Every structure is written in C-alpha cells, then in structure tokens.
Amino acid sequence: MTALRILLEVGTRRTFASAVDWPGWARSARTPEQAIATLLDSAHRYAAVVDVATGLPAPREEAESWAGSRPEDWQPAVVAERPGTPGTEFGVPEAILDEEQVPPDPPAAERIAALVSGAWAVLDAIAAASPAELRKGPRGGGRDRDPMVAHVLGAEAGGYAKRLGLTLQEPGIGDVAAIAAERAAILEVLRSGEPLPNPRRKLWPVRYAGRRIAWHVLDHAWEMEDRRA
C-alpha cells in the first residue's frame, strides 16, 4: 500500500491532519491520532474528487482499503509536525511546508488545478442534491445550503483569490457565468505555478493555496452532505 504523507498541525484543542500530496484532503480532531483516523476514514469521499480530476491516478484502491481496514494495516507517514496556531484552534489548516514554497513545475501545477476543480465539482453535485434547509448541528447552529454556498464563494473572492494576487468580485450563488469566471481566474493562477505579483498583499505559494482552497470547499461540501435533512 502506498504511504500517505501527512502534515500534522497540533494545537491544544484541535489537530489538523493534511494529506500533503492531495490538495483539499484534510480533517481535524482533538488529538493527532484522532485526526489521522478521521482523515483516513474520509478516503472514500476524497476519491470522488480524484474521479473528477481526469488524467490522475485515483487512490480508490487505497481509499477502499483504508475505509475498511484496521489501524495497523494503514500506512500513514507523518512527514512534518507543526505547532498549532490560533487559526488551528479556530478550525483552519495554516501550516505551510518548506517544500510548498517551491513553485510547482507545469505538470504538478496542472495536477493542483485539476484537484481544486474536482473539489468544486463535488461541492456543486452535493449542493444540487441537497435541500435548501439543512439539519441543524448539535447546538442548533449551522448554515443552510444557499448561505453555505455563498460563504464558499465569498471566501474565494474576498480572501483566497487575494492571496493569489487576484482582485475578484463575489458572484451570486445563481450566477453560473460569474462563478465560472471566478473559478477560471483562480485556476489560471494555480496553473501558472506562482501567485500574481502584488506588493500590497501577503501572498500564498501555489502549492499551499491549492491545498487551502480545496480544503475549504470540501469541508463545507461534506458538512452539507452530513447535514441533509
């Protein structure tokens, strides 16, 4: 079984486990052990992202093995561990590896863009199959479907795109053309391998940007799926 390279961000109350080589595949829990277990349990869900990202070797075989096997059969490899930040405790994976500071070559950049695009496709499919009103969380909270989609679009236009050097207008959730244009602009920068120059902003390296953008999309897509009424 192929080893799964994992980055851990260990905080006092929350730990993130992120698959370094698979943008967007990250889960959190209270302890490192629980975070890794939760990551592996979501392998079958992430395989759907790879199915959309055409031309990539889908980890479905590994996904099915991880989903049904015992912990001693898994082969996770923790390649780095970073101390948690306030962002970690809030619920955001913030650590950037040294290797992620290096711009990807064209095939690697295309792979990142394809997986981000796959994450968007998964979100769109889940949203299309979900009711407008979602089941509330254990404390009665949580966004419904349309506010959740709007939140993802707003975060991409108002925050993540800026970290790539872009200035974008937030599209409405029903504006298909505007959503496609926003995503195309982000993908163009990811495929270029480097953020657009912008001295007024602290920019993210493309490898981390792809990982962070896809994580946010999938985090809400899977939440929506879990909270269908």
Side-chain angles (χ1 to χ4, degrees), residues 5 21 56 68 81 95 118-119 121 128 163 175 184 188 196 198 211 214:
R5 299 201 310 145
D21 302 310
L56 296 177
E81 184 173 319
R163 296 289 194 159
D175 193 336
E188 184 177 359
L196 299 174
N198 192 321
R211 181 160 64 82

Side-chain angles (χ1 to χ4, degrees), residues 30-61:
R30 185 167 182 82
T31 69
E33 295 76 17
Q34 290 168 344
I36 291 172
T38 303
L39 179 75
L40 297 173
D41 284 344
S42 67
H44 66 288
R45 290 178 127 174
Y46 191 79
V49 176
V50 185
D51 283 347
V52 178
T54 55
L56 296 177
R60 180 167 298 283
E61 228 179 90

